[in-house]
Amino acid sequence: GWKDVTNIKIINFNNENMQITWAARENFPNENVSFSYTFDEGKQKVWKPCPSYLLDQDHNSGCIFKTEGPTLAMSIRNSNGSKELFSKKLKADFYIKPNRPENVTFFWKEDTVTVSCNKPEKAVRCLRLELQYKSKFDEEWQSRTSRCCSVEEQGFDPEKCYSFRVRLKRLVPHCNVVNYSSDWQAETFWMNGTLVDSCDYDTTPQSNTVIALSCLLAVLLMMLILLILLCKWKRLQKSVMPAIPDPKYIFADLFNDHNGNFQEWIDKSDHAVLQTKLEYEEPECITEAEIQHEDEKNSDKQGPLEKIFTFSGSGETNDLQAAQIACLMPVSNATASFAGVQILMNEDMYVTL
């Protein structure tokens, strides 16, 4: 009836201890079974009871015992041992699960790492050393397997932190009928050939720093953009909608002196402008001078002909002196009018009155 029994698991721990487990509640729901085993061959077998049971809700669900040979025979019976419920004979060497690798060392050379461990005492040819590694930027483990007990891998980035773990595997189907591997050795962390405590600092602090700097730069950029827009807006506002000056500052005298009376202010302003214009207006200069005429036709009359003119409507000496001072130095190429006679004068001429 052993063919009807399911979920039987057999493990030979490094060929030192055997562990046999079965689904007690599924296979034997109404029985608290017993287990016995033997490594003897032939007709004269000595069956040994299970020294240490594994329990599942007070039901025997497994047995652990020492490995004593290459061939194992086992039997599962009812609680009083009168009826055999399951039996099987097998090669214990085909169910070996190796121990963890011992004395694991890492050797770094530039971007290449070599991982090695101590060689087990037995069945080295059936073992392979598996190396797995990943960085914080990898979602899955990268794997590399080599013959026991050294494995080499290259292409590591010195700026990244890597997690490493190693284990031993048994070859299937040459050495094992079940693909058993050892438990993983303790995980280690390396960066640029140096052993570190953890790889958490490799990304977390850097990410926090990058986030903080990015936020600060974004705030500064927003402030700069707002200042530029504010300046542009003021210029645009001045060009499109120029400010209207307050008339009370431009026409202060209109409101302060004349109490807003425009007619009174304009009259006074016209008078002030007229006075200012008269003060700055230069007096008109009218002079009399001697004019000499040479008559080439009359040979008997030579020399200057002196003709004296006087100011029109004035015979007083004071007026004559004032006119003499004002017209003493006529402007270059100026025209003087004397009693209706126009005289062209330059800078080398003067007039005697």
Side-chain angles (χ1 to χ4, degrees):
W2 65 270
K3 294 182 179 179
D4 298 331
V5 178
T6 58
N7 297 330
I8 299 294
K9 188 174 182 180
I10 304 167
I11 303 177
N12 183 1
F13 291 101
N14 200 40
N15 209 23
E16 297 174 357
N17 294 289
M18 298 289 300
Q19 176 178 294
I20 312 296
T21 58
W22 57 85
R25 289 182 298 172
E26 295 178 9
N27 296 321
F28 316 107
N30 301 319
E31 289 282 347
N32 191 10
V33 297
S34 62
F35 180 86
S36 58
Y37 68 95
T38 182
F39 288 94
D40 296 334
E41 297 184 14
K43 294 181 179 180
Q44 297 180 351
K45 297 179 181 179
V46 179
W47 291 91
K48 299 180 180 180
C50 177
S52 178
Y53 279 106
L54 300 175
L55 300 179
D56 180 12
Q57 296 183 359
D58 297 330
H59 284 72
N60 296 334
S61 61
C63 181
I64 297 177
F65 52 93
K66 186 177 180 181
T67 305
E68 299 176 358
T71 304
L72 171 66
M74 56 183 170
S75 175
I76 298 177
R77 294 176 175 269
N78 57 6
S79 57
N80 57 17
S82 61
K83 182 181 180 181
E84 187 177 70
L85 303 177
F86 172 80
S87 63
K88 187 172 185 178
K89 185 178 181 180
L90 52 89
K91 285 288 186 179
D93 294 344
F94 289 166
Y95 294 87
I96 294 178
K97 179 178 181 179
N99 288 339
R100 295 177 179 177
E102 297 179 354
N103 193 22
V104 178
T105 58
F106 290 79
F107 176 74
W108 288 81
K109 185 178 180 181
E110 297 179 354
D111 66 337
T112 303
V113 61
T114 303
V115 183
S116 59
C117 66
N118 290 346
K119 290 185 178 181
E121 296 179 358
K122 300 178 181 179
V124 177
R125 61 180 182 82
C126 290
L127 295 175
R128 294 293 182 267
L129 181 64
E130 181 182 9
L131 169 67
Q132 287 191 348
Y133 61 91
K134 69 175 181 178
S135 69
K136 286 294 182 180
F137 304 98
D138 298 325
E139 296 181 357
E140 298 181 354
W141 289 94
Q142 309 295 319
S143 184
R144 175 80 173 182
T145 304
S146 181
R147 298 181 62 179
C148 188
C149 292
S150 179
V151 58
E152 181 179 289
E153 183 66 5
Q154 61 183 4
F156 293 97
D157 189 345
E159 296 182 358
K160 293 182 181 179
C161 182
Y162 292 89
S163 303
F164 289 90
R165 63 183 185 180
V166 293
R167 68 180 179 180
L168 291 173
K169 298 179 65 175
R170 288 274 294 187
L171 289 177
V172 177
H174 304 288
C175 299
N176 261 32
V177 295
V178 182
N179 189 12
Y180 282 149
S181 301
S182 70
D183 295 334
W184 290 105
Q185 185 59 275
E187 189 174 346
T188 57
F189 307 94
W190 295 80
M191 183 173 183
N192 196 18
T194 303
L195 182 65
V196 295
D197 295 333
S198 175
C199 285
D200 293 338
Y201 71 91
D202 184 38
T203 56
T204 304
Q206 183 177 2
S207 299
N208 293 336
T209 303
V210 170
I211 292 173
L213 291 177
S214 301
C215 293
L216 180 60
L217 291 176
V219 171
L220 294 177
L221 183 60
M222 289 296 295
M223 293 177 63
L224 179 61
I225 293 175
L226 289 176
L227 289 176
I228 294 174
L229 291 177
L230 184 60
C231 295
K232 294 288 186 180
W233 171 251
K234 286 185 177 181
R235 292 182 180 179
L236 180 62
Q237 190 177 19
K238 287 182 180 180
S239 61
V240 176
M241 297 180 293
I244 301 175
D246 193 343
K248 72 178 181 180
Y249 297 106
I250 300 178
F251 305 100
D253 53 348
L254 171 63
F255 295 95
N256 295 334
D257 300 340
H258 302 281
N259 197 22
N261 191 330
F262 181 78
Q263 188 62 42
E264 180 182 343
W265 173 77
I266 197 64
D267 292 342
K268 186 175 181 181
S269 298
D270 290 344
H271 180 67
V273 171
L274 181 59
Q275 282 187 344
T276 304
K277 183 178 181 180
L278 291 175
E279 288 176 0
Y280 284 94
E281 185 178 356
E282 294 183 357
E284 185 180 357
C285 179
I286 302 176
T287 60
E288 291 184 357
E290 292 183 353
I291 303 174
Q292 295 181 359
H293 298 280
E294 184 178 352
D295 191 355
E296 294 180 355
K297 296 180 181 181
N298 299 325
S299 60
D300 56 337
K301 292 183 180 181
Q302 295 180 353
L305 179 61
E306 190 174 273
K307 190 174 183 180
I308 301 175
F309 298 91
T310 60
F311 288 95
S312 300
S314 176
E316 296 180 2
T317 306
N318 293 335
D319 295 337
L320 181 62
Q321 292 178 355
Q324 182 179 3
I325 295 173
C327 301
L328 185 60
M329 296 297 292
V331 181
S332 176
N333 296 330
T335 303
S337 177
F338 299 95
V341 178
Q342 300 292 330
I343 301 176
L344 181 65
M345 305 178 65
N346 57 30
E347 60 184 0
D348 296 329
M349 297 179 64
Y350 65 94
V351 178
T352 302
L353 302 177

